[in-house]
C-alpha cells in the first residue's frame, strides 16, 4: 500500500512538471507571436489593433491545434502569462512538482488584480506557493482570501462590486432532453430567490412524492425538487414583468426562433425516431412533433427517413436574400471556424472569397462566422477555402490545416416552394440543382 501511494504521489509530481512545461511553451508561443505580429496581421492596422489581432490569431492557432475551446485557451494563456511574468515562486513550485496546476490557477486568480502593487503580489506569491505545498486547492483559496484580508489589499465591499459585475445566466446542455440553467447572482439575491421557491413549493404541495405521476395531477406526487423546478419554469416563462421594468418592452416584443429537424415519418406519427433541436441536440419524437406542429416561432424541417438529408425548408418569405440566408443558417448551424460553437443566429454571413476580390454571393461562397472569427479571417493571415458540399478548409498562420463540416447535409436545390405536407413526395433526396441565386446588382457587400 505504501508503495502504491508513493507511486500516486510521484505520478502527480510528473503531472505538475508537465503542466509547468506547457506553461513555458504557451508563454514562448504567445511571446513570439506578439514580437512577430507583422507576419500575422497587415501593417495597415493601427499598432493596438495589430497586437490585438496577433493575440487573437495565436489563441486560435493554439486552440485548434490542442483541440480546446478558445475561451479555455484564453484562460490558459492568461495563466501562463501571469505565472511566467509575475509569479516566479508559484511557477518554480510547479516545475519542481510540488504543487498542481489547480493550485497555481488559484494563486493566479487571487493575485490577478494587483498590477498596481507588484511588491504586494510578490509577497503573496512567495507565501501562497509555500502554503500550496501542504494543502488542497480549495483550502488554498480560503487561505489566500484570509491572507488578502490580513494584508488589507481591498475591502470586501470593493471585491463584491467587482464580482457583482460578473453576474450572468448560462445554459448547460444535459442528457435525455434536459438542460441546466445557471444564474450567477449576488448571494443575497440568490438566497431570496431560493427562499421564495421553497415557500412556493411548500404552498403547492407537501413535496413528499416520488415524481412518478408527472408534473401535476389531483394527488400531486411531485417531490420538493420537482415543485421548485416547476415553479421556476412557470415564473420565468409566464411571469409578467412590471410596466416600469427596463426589460418590459423587450420581453413583450422579442420572439425567439430555433430550428427543429423532424424526420418525415416521425412527423406523420409512424416512427419514434428523435428530432433535433438546434443548439441542443436530439429530442424525443413527441416533443419534436409538438414543436413542429404547434409553435409558430419554430422553423420546421422535413428530413429523409433513411439518409437524414433535408427535403424541404418552411419559408415565410420568398425574397431571395432572406431565403438564401435561411438556407445557409440551416446548413451551417453555427460559426464555421474550427472549434467555435456559437449559433448561426448570432453570426454573420461571410464571403469565403471576398466581395472585392470578385467573390460571388452564392451558397458555395458563403458561410456563417461569429464576429470574432469574421474579423480574424479578414484582419489576420488565417485563410479559408470553400470546398464542395459546404466543407471549409482553414489554414492557420503556422500552416496547419483544419476542416469544418456543415451541421446538416442539405442537397442543393431543396429550396422548393412546395408546402411542407407535399415535400416528401415531390422532392427527390438527391436533387442537385442550386438554391435561388441572389440578384446582387444593386446591393452593397455586407462586409
Amino acid at each position: 500500500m505504501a508503495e502504491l501511494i508513493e507511486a500516486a504521489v510521484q505520478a502527480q509530481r510528473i503531472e505538475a512538471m508537465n503542466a509547468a512545461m506547457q506553461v513555458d511553451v504557451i508563454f514562448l508561443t504567445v511571446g513570439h507571436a506578439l514580437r512577430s505580429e507583422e507576419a500575422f496581421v497587415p501593417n495597415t492596422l493601427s499598432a493596438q489593433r495589430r497586437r490585438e489581432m496577433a493575440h487573437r490569431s495565436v489563441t486560435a492557432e493554439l486552440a485548434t491545434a490542442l483541440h480546446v475551446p478558445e475561451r479555455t485557451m484564453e484562460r490558459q494563456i492568461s495563466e501562463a502569462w501571469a505565472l511566467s511574468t509575475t509569479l516566479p515562486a508559484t511557477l518554480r513550485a510547479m516545475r519542481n512538482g510540488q504543487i498542481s496546476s489547480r493550485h497555481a490557477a488559484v494563486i493566479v486568480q487571487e493575485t490577478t488584480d494587483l498590477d498596481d502593487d507588484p511588491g504586494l503580489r510578490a509577497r503573496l506569491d512567495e507565501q501562497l506557493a509555500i502554503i500550496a505545498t501542504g494543502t488542497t486547492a480549495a483550502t488554498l483559496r480560503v487561505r489566500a482570501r484570509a491572507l488578502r484580508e490580513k494584508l488589507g489589499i481591498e475591502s470586501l465591499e470593493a471585491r463584491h462590486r467587482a464580482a457583482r459585475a460578473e453576474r450572468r445566466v448560462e445554459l448547460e446542455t444535459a442528457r435525455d432532453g434536459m438542460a441546466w440553467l445557471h444564474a450567477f447572482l449576488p448571494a443575497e439575491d440568490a438566497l431570496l430567490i431560493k427562499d421564495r421557491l421553497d415557500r412556493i413549493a411548500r404552498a403547492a404541495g407537501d413535496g413528499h412524492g416520488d415524481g412518478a405521476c408527472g408534473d401535476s395531477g389531483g394527488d400531486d406526487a411531485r417531490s420538493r425538487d420537482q415543485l421548485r423546478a416547476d415553479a421556476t419554469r412557470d415564473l420565468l416563462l409566464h411571469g409578467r414583468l412590471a410596466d416600469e421594468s427596463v426589460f418590459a418592452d423587450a420581453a413583450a416584443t422579442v420572439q425567439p426562433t430555433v430550428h427543429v429537424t423532424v424526420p418525415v415519418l416521425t412527423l406523420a406519427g409512424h416512427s419514434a425516431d428523435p428530432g433535433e433541436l438546434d443548439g441542443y441536440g436530439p429530442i424525443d419524437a413527441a416533443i419534436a412533433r409538438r414543436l413542429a406542429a404547434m409553435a409558430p416561432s419554430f422553423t420546421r424541417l422535413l428530413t429523409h427517413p433513411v439518409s437524414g438529408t433535408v427535403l424541404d425548408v418552411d419559408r415565410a418569405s420568398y425574397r431571395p436574400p432572406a431565403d438564401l440566408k435561411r438556407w445557409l443558417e440551416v446548413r451551417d448551424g453555427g460559426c464555421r471556424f474550427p472549434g467555435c460553437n456559437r449559433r448561426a443566429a448570432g453570426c454573420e454571413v461571410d464571403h469565403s472569397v471576398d466581395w472585392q476580390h470578385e467573390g460571388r454571393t452564392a451558397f458555395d461562397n458563403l458561410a456563417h462566422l461569429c464576429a470574432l472569427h469574421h474579423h480574424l479571417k479578414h484582419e489576420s493571415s488565417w485563410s479559408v477555402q470553400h470546398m464542395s458540399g459546404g466543407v471549409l478548409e482553414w489554414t492557420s498562420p503556422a500552416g496547419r490545416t483544419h476542416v469544418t463540416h456543415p451541421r446538416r447535409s442539405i442537397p442543393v436545390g431543396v429550396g422548393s416552394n412546395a408546402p411542407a405536407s407535399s415535400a416528401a413526395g415531390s422532392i427527390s433526396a438527391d436533387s442537385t440543382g442550386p438554391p435561388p441565386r441572389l440578384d446582387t446588382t444593386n446591393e452593397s457587400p455586407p462586409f
Side-chain angles (χ1 to χ4, degrees):
M1 180 67 72
E3 291 176 352
L4 289 172
I5 291 174
E6 181 60 25
V9 170
Q10 294 303 320
Q12 182 172 273
R13 289 188 68 248
I14 294 172
E15 181 182 2
M17 295 165 73
N18 283 333
M21 182 173 64
Q22 187 173 40
V23 165
D24 291 335
V25 173
I26 289 175
F27 174 71
L28 291 172
T29 303
V30 175
H32 175 74
L34 296 180
R35 288 192 303 271
S36 310
E37 60 185 29
E38 69 280 356
F40 296 88
V41 295
N43 57 14
T44 54
L45 301 177
S46 67
Q48 180 179 355
R49 185 63 172 173
R50 284 200 306 271
R51 186 174 181 85
E52 177 187 351
M53 294 311 298
H55 190 277
R56 286 188 183 182
S57 180
V58 72
T59 300
E61 183 88 64
L62 285 166
T64 53
L66 299 177
H67 305 293
V68 297
E70 282 187 51
R71 182 171 294 183
T72 300
M73 196 68 248
E74 289 173 358
R75 177 180 55 77
Q76 291 182 9
I77 289 174
S78 178
E79 290 179 357
W81 199 268
L83 288 166
S84 301
T85 59
T86 63
L87 300 171
T90 301
L91 183 55
R92 185 167 56 250
M94 280 185 70
R95 288 172 176 160
N96 294 334
Q98 296 173 297
I99 66 173
S100 70
S101 58
R102 294 183 294 278
H103 291 84
V106 170
I107 297 175
V108 170
Q109 292 166 8
E110 295 299 330
T111 59
T112 191
D113 57 343
L114 300 179
D115 290 339
D116 295 336
D117 196 338
L120 192 53
R121 180 167 52 197
R123 290 171 58 192
L124 277 173
D125 175 38
E126 292 286 350
Q127 295 184 45
L128 292 178
I130 295 172
I131 294 172
T133 60
T135 188
T136 65
T139 302
L140 174 63
R141 188 182 301 279
V142 175
R143 297 280 299 276
R145 290 173 179 170
L147 187 57
R148 287 175 64 105
E149 288 287 341
K150 181 179 179 181
L151 295 175
I153 292 175
E154 61 189 0
S155 68
L156 179 59
E157 181 181 357
R159 293 202 308 275
H160 177 65
R161 282 199 303 269
R164 192 173 185 274
E166 299 297 323
R167 63 191 182 278
R168 61 191 179 274
V169 175
E170 294 181 351
L171 178 70
E172 177 189 352
T173 58
R175 295 180 178 177
D176 305 322
M178 302 297 287
W180 291 97
L181 188 65
H182 304 283
F184 183 63
L185 299 169
E188 63 273 20
D189 291 342
L191 290 171
L192 286 170
I193 291 170
K194 178 63 163 51
D195 181 68
R196 186 183 185 199
L197 291 172
D198 286 342
R199 292 173 182 271
I200 291 173
R202 285 196 295 269
D206 57 21
H208 293 150
D210 59 8
C213 295
D215 288 351
S216 60
D219 296 321
D220 201 325
R222 286 178 289 182
S223 67
R224 186 63 55 80
D225 284 340
Q226 290 173 330
L227 287 167
R228 274 192 293 264
D230 292 347
T232 304
R233 175 199 62 199
D234 291 347
L235 286 169
L236 291 177
L237 284 179
H238 310 302
R240 181 180 180 277
L241 291 171
D243 293 337
E244 61 271 15
S245 170
V246 296
F247 304 110
D249 290 340
T253 57
V254 170
Q255 294 294 328
T257 60
V258 68
H259 294 297
V260 180
T261 305
V262 187
V264 173
L265 295 181
T266 297
L267 191 64
H270 300 309
S271 171
D273 289 342
E276 182 175 339
L277 183 62
D278 186 35
Y280 176 80
I283 54 176
D284 69 69
I287 294 178
R289 281 193 292 268
R290 177 168 59 84
L291 294 179
M294 299 177 61
S297 62
F298 284 80
T299 299
R300 293 171 292 159
L301 308 180
L302 303 182
T303 62
H304 191 281
V306 177
S307 67
T309 55
V310 175
L311 298 177
D312 190 71
V313 181
D314 285 352
R315 290 168 295 184
S317 170
Y318 294 99
R319 184 173 178 267
D323 190 58
L324 179 58
K325 184 176 180 181
R326 175 166 294 186
W327 190 92
L328 291 165
E329 186 174 330
V330 171
R331 183 198 69 180
D332 291 342
C335 175
R336 295 296 306 280
F337 190 83
C340 186
N341 293 314
R342 185 177 293 275
R343 290 182 57 203
C347 295
E348 304 160 350
V349 177
D350 170 69
H351 289 72
S352 296
V353 177
D354 294 349
W355 175 276
Q356 61 266 36
H357 297 151
E358 305 301 323
R360 297 181 301 116
T361 303
F363 72 99
D364 54 357
N365 189 48
L366 297 172
H368 282 82
L369 295 178
C370 69
L372 188 153
H373 294 123
H374 199 168
H375 283 282
L376 189 68
K377 170 182 174 289
H378 285 271
E379 298 182 47
S380 78
S381 51
W382 277 89
S383 62
V384 63
Q385 184 177 358
H386 208 121
M387 315 295 282
S388 62
V391 175
L392 300 185
E393 182 181 82
W394 290 85
T395 303
S396 76
R400 302 177 68 94
T401 57
H402 306 273
V403 175
T404 67
H405 296 269
R407 182 75 55 84
R408 298 184 181 89
S409 177
I410 304 180
V412 295
V414 300
S416 164
N417 293 338
S421 59
S422 63
S426 63
I427 301 176
S428 171
D430 59 356
S431 300
T432 56
R437 293 291 300 276
L438 288 174
D439 178 6
T440 60
T441 307
N442 299 316
E443 290 189 2
S444 59
F447 188 86

